[in-house]
Amino acid sequence: MAAVEIPNSSLSFDQQLSVLLEQNACCVSPDGELIIGTQLREGYQPPTLSQLDNVRHVAFWLGEQGLGIFQAFCRSPWAEQIAWLRFGSSTDALGGGRDYASFVQAMQQSEWPALVGLSLGEVEHFQNTVGEFGQLGELSALLEQLANLQALAIHGHFELARPCHLPQLRELSVALCDEGGITDVGLSQLTVSNLLSCRLDSVEHLYIDLAESEIDGGYRIPSQCFSADQWPSLQELLINGEFRFSDQAKLLRSPIAQRPNLSRHLFGHAH
């Protein structure tokens, strides 16, 4: 399917959605998620008005070109009812561009009282190919607004100006590149330190994969990660990346890594 005609960004969300519906570029997945920017496939259906009234999960797969409809979505009443939100691109490639900083800024202008799941910069795989993540910009201001968030997935390059407190978060996943892909853009030491220093009292599953990206001498791990008080609810821990060997050794000897019921995969090895 060729790239779609992107609707006029001055239209309302419902109007822009109608334009995409006319191009068969929206559908509802078998589990009820409204997907914007993908072609119809087996098991997926064109959305009906009654389905739209009950949608609580929405995904935007038009890449950077989907900014206009995403901004309209953020300004609409939908923002107050959505429980799960994903944005990025897909292997259908109906839209282009991977700079999502303006998507993050659009979310900051709205309130999301029902939002419990958020995936930023994702690549949805409808074919067996490797996707490419993009740029998300600074995230701490947005995350601090989302007190009810329970699941967060961050894909691609981002910045975190300060540690965040996410009291309800149970799962955090960070990936710099798509599985099988490569990246030559690493995170800053400040962002890695702030990420690992976030207060995540309820987190049960923590996955941080920095791939092959590195800084001179390797990333440092903040001292609080060696404390028994860090991540008190943790059940599964994966950290991968080019960290300093001395810090790797400290974390492997730390009270966190020694918890008997913790499933851990650290620095490329299961422990």
Side-chain angles (χ1 to χ4, degrees):
M1 184 175 179
V4 298
E5 178 186 347
I6 302 299
N8 188 319
S9 61
S10 65
L11 300 175
S12 70
F13 172 68
D14 290 343
Q15 290 171 325
Q16 293 188 57
L17 185 62
S18 295
V19 172
L20 292 174
L21 282 170
E22 292 173 358
Q23 301 177 71
N24 293 318
C26 296
C27 61
V28 175
S29 71
D31 60 4
E33 181 179 47
L34 173 62
I35 303 176
I36 296 169
T38 189
Q39 58 191 350
L40 286 174
R41 48 186 30 89
E42 185 176 355
Y44 291 65
Q45 301 293 330
T48 64
L49 290 177
S50 60
Q51 285 176 314
L52 291 178
D53 288 340
N54 297 310
V55 163
R56 296 296 179 268
H57 295 199
V58 180
F60 291 82
W61 297 146
L62 286 170
E64 182 183 339
Q65 288 183 311
L67 177 61
I69 189 171
F70 187 81
Q71 289 173 324
F73 171 81
C74 292
R75 294 191 298 265
S76 76
W78 286 68
E80 297 183 358
Q81 68 186 44
I82 293 301
W84 285 78
L85 176 60
R86 304 191 291 158
F87 68 74
S89 62
S90 82
T91 52
D92 281 351
L94 300 191
R98 296 184 304 276
D99 185 348
Y100 301 114
S102 294
F103 286 67
V104 172
Q105 293 166 8
M107 286 193 68
Q108 290 175 217
Q109 305 306 312
S110 299
E111 296 183 1
W112 305 88
L115 193 68
V116 296
L118 177 63
S119 180
L120 306 171
E122 186 177 347
V123 176
E124 179 69 76
H125 288 265
F126 294 114
Q127 291 93 30
N128 187 23
T129 59
V130 175
E132 188 171 353
F133 296 153
Q135 309 279 331
L136 294 166
E138 208 286 313
L139 298 183
S140 57
L142 172 63
L143 298 183
E144 288 167 350
Q145 296 178 213
L146 305 176
N148 297 323
L149 206 61
Q150 297 180 19
L152 172 63
I154 302 172
H155 306 84
H157 187 273
F158 66 98
E159 299 167 11
L160 204 63
R162 53 192 174 273
C164 300
H165 180 202
L166 296 168
Q168 304 299 323
L169 197 71
R170 295 185 177 182
E171 180 172 327
L172 172 60
S173 174
V174 175
L176 268 193
C177 63
D178 197 12
E179 185 174 354
I182 59 174
T183 181
D184 58 359
V185 181
L187 300 182
S188 69
Q189 177 62 62
L190 177 63
T191 290
V192 172
S193 294
N194 287 336
L195 176 66
L196 292 172
S197 301
C198 285
R199 184 176 171 187
L200 307 173
D201 294 339
S202 300
V203 74
E204 298 173 354
H205 306 279
L206 179 58
Y207 314 104
I208 299 175
D209 189 353
L210 304 184
E212 302 301 320
S213 65
E214 59 180 292
I215 59 174
D216 290 342
Y219 288 112
R220 299 184 300 276
I221 299 175
S223 58
Q224 56 262 50
C225 292
F226 309 133
S227 166
D229 298 329
Q230 185 77 336
W231 309 317
S233 303
L234 199 62
Q235 300 175 11
E236 186 175 12
L237 175 63
L238 181 150
I239 298 180
N240 184 42
E242 299 296 326
F243 289 86
R244 290 187 176 185
F245 289 120
S246 59
D247 284 2
Q248 291 185 35
K250 285 181 184 178
L251 186 61
L252 290 171
R253 295 193 304 266
S254 71
I256 291 174
Q258 300 305 315
R259 290 175 189 168
N261 298 320
L262 179 68
S263 173
R264 50 201 176 274
H265 196 284
L266 301 174
F267 316 115
H269 302 282
H271 298 275

